[in-house]
Amino acid sequence: DFGIEARLSVLKRSNASVEPDNGFQQGGIILRSITGKGENNFIFSLGTGGNSVPKYFLKITTAGKSKTRVNKTDSMSAWLRIEKRGNQIKVLKKPDEASSWIKVEEYALPWLNDDLEAGFSVMARFAGDGPKQKPDMKAIFSAIKTSGL
């Protein structure tokens, strides 16, 4: 059982004073099974998803099949935290200026009892007119903490 948290800022690489524009450009925390069959992972990320509006993403992949939940937020800078206990994870967020964590969701996933890797994820993808666009983001992870629970 463990917790992992970090402060994350997602910025435009070519101009760090602004947020990235459209496309799917995200950074976040990933938990990944290294022993189960098929791809099994969970990603809690912050970034863009089809437009430049800031969003949180909760993506669960079990046996290679993915589902993503998306929620709008106010900023491309926030704290992200995942707490794992047994086969359950609790997902929490905290705006930069806030002092207390806000529970986003809880999940029970059978593969969470496997051997896991935890780390950071950065991804950029452009659908449709993608070949005309290029990734232009950077994800800054700071104040990284891990803990036993």
Side-chain angles (χ1 to χ4, degrees):
D1 294 348
F2 62 89
I4 183 169
E5 72 181 59
R7 181 179 179 274
L8 172 62
S9 294
V10 179
L11 307 166
K12 193 168 187 164
R13 188 181 51 79
S14 64
N15 181 357
S17 66
V18 297
E19 297 172 343
D21 20 53
N22 60 17
F24 293 80
Q25 301 185 87
Q26 304 158 18
I29 300 172
I30 182 171
L31 299 182
R32 181 177 175 272
S33 166
I34 58 173
T35 56
K37 289 190 174 189
E39 184 62 27
N40 298 302
N41 64 55
F42 178 84
I43 303 172
F44 181 30
S45 61
L46 175 65
T48 64
N51 58 42
S52 59
V53 175
K55 298 172 187 76
Y56 283 101
F57 301 84
L58 299 166
K59 182 177 181 182
I60 299 171
T61 301
T62 300
K65 297 191 186 298
S66 297
K67 290 182 183 177
T68 303
R69 188 175 128 203
V70 180
N71 291 308
K72 292 180 184 173
T73 190
D74 296 327
S75 172
M76 292 281 193
S77 181
W79 291 80
L80 307 180
R81 179 171 176 80
I82 297 175
E83 297 177 354
K84 183 222 177 264
R85 287 184 173 94
N87 73 336
Q88 294 195 322
I89 54 174
K90 187 186 315 183
V91 183
L92 305 114
K93 67 179 181 175
K94 179 170 70 166
D96 280 338
E97 65 281 353
S99 60
S100 58
W101 290 95
I102 300 162
K103 180 178 151 188
V104 177
E105 193 64 68
E106 272 188 72
Y107 297 98
L109 303 168
W111 54 265
L112 285 171
N113 287 324
D114 295 347
D115 291 333
L116 299 176
E117 295 176 331
F120 303 102
S121 169
V122 177
M123 91 70 165
R125 180 177 64 83
F126 297 93
D129 290 335
K132 298 176 188 170
Q133 300 174 346
K134 293 187 169 65
D136 191 14
M137 62 140 323
K138 67 178 174 178
I140 301 170
F141 296 91
S142 59
I144 299 164
K145 289 185 196 176
T146 58
S147 61
L149 299 175

